[in-house]
Amino acid sequence: MSASKQPLIRLQDVKKVFFTDEVETHALAGTHLDIANGEYVSITGPSGCGKSTLLSILGLLDSPTEGKYWLNGKLVSDLSLSERALIRNREVGFIFQSFNLIGDLTIYENVELPLTYRGLSSADRKTRVTDALEKVNMAHRAKHLPSQLSGGQQQRVAVARAVAGQPLILLADEPTGNLDSKNGEAVMDLLRELHRGGATICMVTHDPRYATFADRAIYLFDGRVVKEEMVSFKQDEEGASLVGTQAEVV
Amino acid sequence: MGTLWQDLRYGARMLGKTPGFTVVAVAVLALGIGANTTIFSLINGMLLRPLVGVESPERLAAVYTSDFSSGLYGTSSYPDYISFRDGAHAFEGLAAYQNTTVSLTESDEPERLRGASVTGNYFKVLGVGVSAGRTLLPEDEVAAGGDPVIVISHNLWQRRFNSEPAIVNRTISLDGRAHTVVGVVAESFRGLHIGSSPEFWQPMPPPPNNPSARGNRSLTLVGRLKGGATIEEANAQLTAIAARLAQDYPETNRGTLARPDEPRPITVARQTRLGHKQRKTIIGVSGMLMLMVGLVLLIACANVANLLLARASVRRREIAIRLALGSGRLRLIQQLLTESMCLAILGGLLGLLLTLWTSDFLPKFFPSEEASGLDLSVDWRVLGFTLGLSLLTGIVFGLAPALQASRQNLLSALKDDTGAPEVHGFGRFGMRNALVVLQVALSLILLICAGLFMRSLRAASTADPGFNAENVLLMRMEARGVKMKREEEEIFYRGVQEQVGALPGVRSVALAYIVPISGGGMRTNVYVEGYQPKPNEDTELNTNIVSPNYFKTIGIPLVQGRDFGAADTANAPGVVIINEEFARRYFPGASPVGKRLRSDSEGPYLEVVGVVKDAKYRALREEPLPFFYTPLAQGSREALTLFVRTDGDPSAVLPSVRAELKSLNKNLTLFQVNTFSAHLADALSSDTMIAVLLSVFGVAALLLAAVGLYGVMSYAVARRTHEIGVRMALGAQTGDIIKLVLWQGMILLLVGCVVGLSAAFALTRLMSSLLYGVGATDPLTFVGITLLLAGVATLACYIPARRATRVDPMVALRYE
């Protein structure tokens, strides 16, 4: 599979079954998904539909029970823990709902953390961390601790941490879930800016308003993709109105 | 009272709800409290227990006359005793006694008995009761020359006479002579000292009245103070009498050659179960052991405090609800402290069981004779100590967690607010970490002390004593009954050497009065011809009486001159053999052979005929002493020890040696049969006990510190599960996570080691006098023990670190 012809992400008939005692839970029941380089995809659906499981598999935090997963043309569904950690570190950027900043580390150190695991030199790390913090407008809080920031600011730092490593894809799990609407929209604006800058983004959200920020909205139900919509029109610059979508039933 | 009962019930219920925590905490506390109670019971048995079987023991006082050479606690002469008894009005009565031995010749196999010759008022002064008959009376002293009477111990009465009531007025044979038993002493009285339980008491006949009797100081004095009289008064009265005696009898009652104008100092002290010299040593050793077990208890407290802190975080919400419902902070602290007390009392009870077990086990460290009369049973003092210590322990480990638990953010705790980024203590030095540092530091101190004692013991047991104790049989023998004439003695001893020496498996045989490394010895004033002693120089030197072949038999090389021989008889010119240290001190740069000395300023000169290598004489730890030997024929004694060097195992020749000796003299009593190697091991028994106890405490401390570190790291990992999940999501590899957790543990370890090493450097210097052959700051011990602790601690950190790598980031991040 050559990278130029293939999508950045390809899932082929991916299934995920959780076994608890005698109960089998089919979180994903044969999911097919392609995400192209530079695309901004949102995944929505009701609670328990498998959104987060899908995102975990995309982020190599979990592996599928069945099916195949190619990332940037490489089959990654059967990698060892250590290989998965390596790919997570280099090619995936995570943005979590609850920010997941480390309380003992400063903002600078939090953003620097994934670069440390990559073994970059101190100078390289400094350049990247500074760039990332400037991108989210948080460079002036570099020496603060997460507990000294508001929720919105913490999420911007989490975004900076995700992009500092210049990953192939940004995976955002309910990035506005713990924020008020004003801060939520600010974070969505930030993601849109990153996308405009060329970032590939896959975002899980239950909020239909934010789903339309993406190029494509994917609807999951009972572990299957049941609908995909190409979003033709977006909010205006002020985020005032939703002007139209184009739907495709799968 | 009502709230206390409520707290107790609730505390018991809470402890029952978390059996794992309760068992671990109680076990840790039992170890700490048990170690302390065990050492305390040892101190109690040796130093605190009053004399038993005597009336009002607090009014008994020992009286010592200094001989200038061996400290203040020397013995007194009979005439001095009479002067003291009649002149010191602070005493209701003053008695004298002297340890002695006899052979009970009731059967074919004589049994050697240890007992005492006592003045007739001895039992009256002590206030000792009887099981049968009567005790000795002053009029028995007079009769001692005629029809001898004796009082026996309850133990001997049971053991040899089946507790026969008819023992009173029965005649028994001692040393072949008939003695009338006039009474059996009450069972509770086992003598005045640990390690010497007399089995009989015989009246002491007054010595012949001659001028030299005052100089023969072999009696120990014990007095009963009058009601209201003090030790100080008694001391002042006796000192005044001693000054008067020094004026009246300057020849015998003034100082030695070095201090000719001073009267001999008198010391009056409370009568104790240990001699005052031993007591000083025991106080030093037990103080050190108490300090060590105190450290073990502190480590245990730190450990349990850490467990309580972890538990408090689990009970955060419950405590917040109590506070929200209006419980005052003090009330809450009381509740939490009650729970701690419950734990401490349970730990104390278990610790007491540990002490009961060790009270049977500890006396085995002592040679059997030294342990006689040593009672380590649990009494009210031990119980009180355990209770007090348990309560104190409960406060020590319970207070800090209780204070911290009652000082929490109510709102956050009630909301169980875990959403905000938490600072888990990796970046700050919290109380839990401080407690781990304390544990590491304390266990390092303990381990270093234990290490130093082990090395000291090893140095003492492998040090060259200057003789070869391997394959040597020791056997003390006394010819009782028929008193041999001097010539008969010479013939008998020569016969012993010849006939035992001819036995198969025997390489050589010798006789000596004193066995080396017996803790004591024989000293005498020495006047070396042409040598002028320096001011305050101790001119009393150690000596021994030995037969020909002694040096060959125990392996002391002769470096100059000759050994004693058959020609060195009682009528031959007096001769001595000296050691190299003697030669160095008195004849520097000259050949000692042919020089002369004498042990009495008026006596005949003795010629030095040989020089032997230095050896250890009184103790293995001693510095080289000037020493001289006189030949057996020129200084014979009643009891001598036979030294038999064998080709192989000395015990193999024992039956044939016994039979040979019996064939030479059927009245011979043989006792203290031992190998020389075992005798040396006995000499190191207290060193062994200290080293073993410290090692046990050190290992306990090491385990406690490791458990503490493991607990803290496990707790930290549990608290950081979420963070570790985030790190793994961000690409951290297994090695990164292990490094992260280990690093935290290593910082604690490093700080603990720095604190512990600094404290150990200061502390070990205090015990340098107890060490032999190893410095108090021995680098090998310090480095080796630190590495051992670091190794164990690293393992204790590695296990939680490995567990951290198994954190599932999915679970940690709370995905679906």
Side-chain angles (χ1 to χ4, degrees):
Chain A
M1 242 183 255
S2 86
S4 57
K5 291 180 183 174
Q6 292 298 325
L8 180 65
I9 281 175
R10 165 161 286 181
L11 295 186
Q12 188 179 303
D13 197 20
V14 165
K15 293 176 182 165
K16 182 68 187 179
V17 184
F18 292 107
F19 300 92
T20 40
D21 295 327
E22 292 171 1
V23 183
E24 282 187 13
T25 307
H26 292 261
L28 294 177
T31 302
H32 295 269
L33 177 67
D34 283 355
I35 298 174
N37 202 358
E39 201 179 3
Y40 187 170
V41 174
S42 71
I43 301 172
T44 57
S47 182
C49 70
K51 305 185 292 286
S52 293
T53 304
L54 178 60
L55 203 69
S56 301
I57 289 174
L58 290 177
L60 296 177
L61 288 172
D62 205 353
S63 52
T65 313
E66 279 181 46
K68 294 197 184 306
Y69 170 22
W70 287 270
L71 175 63
N72 201 22
K74 184 183 176 187
L75 185 64
V76 294
S77 42
D78 296 319
L79 295 179
S80 68
L81 284 174
S82 156
E83 289 167 327
R84 277 157 55 187
L86 200 67
I87 292 177
R88 272 203 306 274
N89 180 249
R90 289 167 189 268
E91 296 177 6
V92 180
F94 279 105
I95 301 162
F96 303 101
Q97 176 179 349
S98 52
F99 328 135
N100 283 336
L101 298 178
I102 292 171
D104 293 326
L105 304 183
T106 62
I107 298 308
Y108 181 93
E109 289 164 338
N110 264 287
V111 177
E112 187 189 30
L113 191 61
L115 306 178
T116 317
Y117 295 140
R118 200 182 287 191
L120 292 180
S121 70
S122 171
D124 268 0
R125 294 203 303 267
K126 190 174 180 186
T127 310
R128 291 194 188 208
V129 171
T130 310
D131 285 352
L133 283 175
E134 277 170 2
K135 211 175 269 181
V136 301
N137 206 18
M138 288 298 292
H140 61 296
R141 308 300 293 270
K143 289 182 181 167
H144 287 77
L145 287 171
S147 56
Q148 296 169 305
L149 305 186
S150 70
Q153 286 174 320
Q154 285 188 45
Q155 192 61 300
R156 278 157 63 192
V157 173
V159 171
R161 181 178 65 185
V163 300
Q166 294 161 358
L168 289 174
I169 185 162
L170 284 176
L171 298 177
D173 185 9
E174 303 276 13
T176 59
N178 278 11
L179 300 175
D180 59 35
S181 59
K182 189 180 168 200
N183 275 311
E185 280 173 19
V187 167
M188 292 309 297
D189 286 342
L190 185 57
L191 289 180
R192 188 167 56 191
E193 270 174 42
L194 290 171
H195 172 54
R196 281 180 187 153
T200 308
I201 300 175
C202 178
M203 174 182 68
V204 162
T205 180
H206 64 275
D207 191 331
R209 284 181 305 148
Y210 296 139
T212 57
F213 274 66
D215 298 333
R216 181 157 56 110
I218 293 170
Y219 295 90
L220 278 185
F221 188 76
D222 280 350
R224 285 196 177 84
V225 177
V226 293
K227 189 168 77 171
E228 284 190 33
E229 284 180 334
M230 297 303 293
V231 181
S232 305
F233 306 100
K234 311 277 175 62
Q235 285 177 292
D236 63 11
E237 290 302 313
E238 287 75 38
S241 59
L242 192 65
V243 288
T245 61
Q246 182 185 354
E248 176 192 345
V249 177
V250 180
Chain B
M1 201 63 197
T3 56
L4 180 65
W5 177 239
Q6 195 183 20
D7 286 349
L8 276 172
R9 273 187 314 168
Y10 185 75
R13 206 160 63 224
M14 288 304 289
L15 296 179
K17 267 178 71 178
T18 49
F21 161 80
T22 307
V23 167
V24 170
V26 168
V28 165
L29 290 171
L31 196 64
I33 296 174
N36 276 267
T37 311
T38 299
I39 296 304
F40 180 78
S41 75
L42 198 62
I43 292 172
N44 184 41
M46 292 208 271
L47 301 174
L48 303 179
R49 270 179 193 273
L51 287 164
V52 285
V54 297
E55 264 178 36
S56 309
E58 70 284 353
R59 281 172 54 208
L60 291 180
V63 176
Y64 302 101
T65 304
S66 171
D67 66 356
F68 286 107
S69 60
S70 55
L72 292 173
Y73 306 109
T75 42
S76 310
S77 69
Y78 191 89
D80 281 358
Y81 155 66
I82 298 293
S83 302
F84 293 155
R85 185 192 67 188
D86 297 342
H89 303 297
F91 289 107
E92 205 170 271
L94 185 66
Y97 61 98
Q98 180 180 13
N99 291 335
T100 185
T101 57
V102 294
S103 288
L104 181 64
T105 42
E106 284 287 285
S107 60
D108 287 347
E109 187 62 43
E111 181 189 349
R112 181 178 171 268
L113 301 178
R114 298 196 324 167
S117 279
V118 300
T119 52
N121 62 349
Y122 177 81
F123 289 103
K124 189 181 175 210
V125 166
L126 296 184
V128 174
V130 287
S131 294
R134 64 168 177 87
T135 55
L136 296 175
L137 299 170
E139 46 267 37
D140 292 322
E141 281 183 31
V142 183
D147 183 19
V149 295
I150 194 166
V151 166
I152 62 171
S153 73
H154 194 275
N155 179 47
L156 183 67
W157 183 41
Q158 282 183 320
R159 191 167 56 78
R160 286 298 298 254
F161 305 104
N162 300 318
S163 304
E164 284 172 31
I167 187 72
V168 177
N169 295 325
R170 184 180 147 179
T171 301
I172 61 173
S173 173
L174 298 175
D175 288 346
R177 188 176 173 201
H179 286 67
T180 305
V181 177
V182 293
V184 178
V185 164
E187 187 178 6
S188 54
F189 182 64
R190 301 210 172 157
L192 290 174
H193 296 287
I194 293 171
S196 64
S197 297
E199 299 211 89
F200 71 91
W201 292 266
Q202 64 186 21
M204 180 189 295
N209 191 12
N210 64 45
S212 65
R214 274 194 191 272
N216 179 14
R217 294 184 169 83
S218 57
L219 303 184
T220 309
L221 309 187
V222 58
R224 177 170 293 279
L225 291 168
K226 282 179 179 162
T230 62
I231 295 269
E232 290 71 28
E233 280 174 51
N235 209 10
Q237 289 175 8
L238 291 177
T239 300
I241 295 169
R244 204 172 60 236
L245 292 175
Q247 277 185 343
D248 295 348
Y249 307 101
E251 282 297 308
T252 53
N253 284 53
R254 283 191 180 166
T256 56
L257 196 66
R259 300 182 186 182
D261 299 325
E262 293 177 37
R264 291 175 179 254
I266 302 297
T267 304
V268 182
R270 291 247 171 258
Q271 179 66 46
T272 52
R273 288 159 58 82
L274 276 181
H276 281 79
K277 218 169 172 180
Q278 268 179 304
R279 204 175 152 81
K280 270 180 139 177
T281 312
I282 294 291
I283 287 172
V285 170
S286 54
M288 193 250 324
L289 285 174
M290 257 341 260
L291 183 68
M292 296 299 133
V293 288
L295 295 184
V296 173
L297 184 61
L298 266 181
I299 296 169
C301 283
N303 222 315
V304 178
N306 247 344
L307 288 173
L308 283 177
L309 282 172
R311 195 158 169 264
S313 66
V314 176
R315 292 175 66 181
R316 188 168 169 244
R317 203 173 160 78
E318 173 217 323
I319 290 164
I321 291 170
R322 284 174 179 275
L323 287 169
L325 292 177
S327 166
R329 212 175 145 214
L330 271 178
R331 178 74 188 79
L332 195 67
I333 290 171
Q334 181 193 318
Q335 158 72 45
L336 294 172
L337 273 183
T338 307
E339 288 179 36
S340 304
M341 290 296 177
C342 288
L343 280 175
I345 299 283
L346 285 174
L349 284 173
L350 204 61
L352 203 57
L353 289 180
L354 196 71
T355 303
L356 283 172
W357 175 68
T358 53
S359 64
D360 289 339
F361 166 76
L362 270 184
K364 292 189 173 68
F365 279 111
F366 297 93
S368 57
E369 279 187 3
E370 284 181 28
S372 69
L374 179 62
D375 183 2
L376 300 185
S377 61
V378 171
D379 61 4
W380 65 268
R381 276 182 212 81
V382 178
L383 285 175
F385 176 83
T386 311
L387 179 68
L389 190 69
S390 301
L391 295 177
L392 183 69
T393 302
I395 292 171
V396 169
F397 74 75
L399 192 60
L403 285 173
Q404 200 178 64
S406 65
R407 203 172 39 208
Q408 56 176 278
N409 183 337
L410 253 189
L411 201 62
S412 160
L414 281 174
K415 281 161 66 182
D416 209 10
D417 189 2
T418 52
E422 284 183 58
V423 179
H424 293 312
F426 276 27
R428 66 180 182 179
F429 208 77
M431 188 188 285
R432 293 177 61 83
N433 289 346
L435 288 171
V436 168
V437 165
L438 181 72
Q439 288 182 61
V440 170
L442 294 178
S443 56
L444 188 59
I445 295 170
L446 245 170
L447 281 167
I448 285 174
C449 291
L452 287 174
F453 269 91
M454 287 304 274
R455 287 193 26 91
S456 166
L457 176 66
R458 190 174 156 71
S461 56
T462 56
D464 179 12
F467 49 80
N468 177 9
E470 287 296 311
N471 293 341
V472 175
L473 180 71
L474 304 179
M475 190 182 279
R476 203 152 174 79
M477 53 188 207
E478 273 178 307
R480 299 285 186 160
V482 184
K483 177 78 182 160
M484 283 189 278
K485 289 182 188 155
R486 196 62 182 258
E487 301 77 38
E488 289 172 334
E489 257 183 17
E490 276 186 35
I491 294 164
F492 169 69
Y493 289 134
R494 204 177 304 135
V496 167
Q497 283 194 268
E498 284 169 7
Q499 296 199 30
V500 174
L503 289 170
V506 172
R507 206 176 277 181
S508 67
V509 176
L511 292 149
Y513 180 54
I514 289 165
V515 179
I517 324 299
S518 295
M522 183 167 55
R523 287 164 62 91
T524 183
N525 257 316
V526 171
Y527 306 80
V528 177
E529 193 178 27
Y531 179 82
Q532 187 57 42
K534 299 174 192 74
N536 293 333
E537 182 178 333
D538 181 10
T539 52
E540 274 196 2
L541 299 185
N542 287 282
T543 181
N544 198 359
I545 298 165
V546 302
S547 72
N549 271 339
Y550 173 78
F551 303 111
K552 179 186 165 196
T553 304
I554 74 165
I556 296 179
L558 185 73
V559 291
Q560 217 179 326
R562 64 166 176 90
D563 190 2
F564 296 132
D568 298 315
T569 59
N571 301 322
V575 291
V576 293
I577 292 174
I578 61 171
N579 72 346
E580 288 178 311
E581 180 63 20
F582 192 117
R584 273 192 293 273
R585 184 184 291 188
Y586 294 102
F587 312 114
S591 170
V593 174
K595 303 281 188 198
R596 300 198 306 167
L597 57 97
R598 57 185 176 186
S599 59
D600 184 334
S601 56
E602 302 298 318
Y605 274 108
L606 311 170
E607 186 184 337
V608 176
V609 293
V611 180
V612 290
K613 281 259 180 206
D614 291 338
K616 304 286 182 190
Y617 306 102
R618 300 170 78 103
L620 286 167
R621 293 156 174 266
E622 75 195 9
E623 294 299 316
L625 294 172
F627 200 94
F628 71 99
Y629 303 86
T630 48
L632 184 59
Q634 294 177 358
S636 70
R637 288 289 191 277
E638 276 186 356
L640 291 172
T641 297
L642 183 69
F643 291 69
V644 183
R645 176 166 291 284
T646 57
D647 290 328
D649 178 14
S651 56
V653 301
L654 180 59
S656 53
V657 172
R658 267 185 197 279
E660 203 58 50
L661 291 172
K662 286 285 172 189
S663 74
L664 282 164
N665 183 343
K666 66 179 173 53
N667 289 323
L668 208 61
T669 308
L670 302 174
F671 54 99
Q672 292 177 355
V673 178
N674 207 350
T675 63
F676 207 175
S677 308
H679 170 78
L680 289 188
D682 279 352
L684 287 172
S685 59
S686 37
D687 296 60
T688 308
M689 184 184 74
I690 295 171
V692 169
L693 282 177
L694 282 183
S695 301
V696 169
F697 299 147
V699 170
L702 177 65
L703 288 178
L704 285 176
V707 166
L709 202 53
Y710 171 82
V712 163
M713 297 315 297
S714 296
Y715 177 77
V717 165
R719 289 287 304 262
R720 294 181 76 181
T721 301
H722 177 250
E723 181 200 324
I724 290 165
V726 172
R727 286 176 180 267
M728 291 176 86
L730 295 175
Q733 296 279 3
T734 305
D736 295 319
I737 300 299
I738 289 181
K739 229 185 303 175
L740 175 78
V741 180
L742 274 186
W743 178 238
Q744 183 198 5
M746 290 305 105
I747 288 175
L748 297 180
L749 178 67
L750 194 70
V751 178
C753 283
V754 169
V755 174
L757 283 173
S758 315
F761 263 110
L763 199 67
T764 52
R765 284 166 207 274
L766 300 177
M767 61 181 207
S768 53
S769 64
L770 299 170
L771 299 173
Y772 172 79
V774 61
T777 53
D778 175 47
L780 189 65
T781 309
F782 272 66
V783 172
I785 293 292
T786 307
L787 289 178
L788 171 74
L789 179 73
V792 174
T794 306
L795 187 67
C797 295
Y798 182 76
I799 298 168
R802 277 302 302 179
R803 195 181 307 135
T805 63
R806 289 197 287 273
V807 165
D808 183 348
M810 286 281 294
V811 176
L813 298 173
R814 299 208 182 104
Y815 275 122
E816 285 177 354

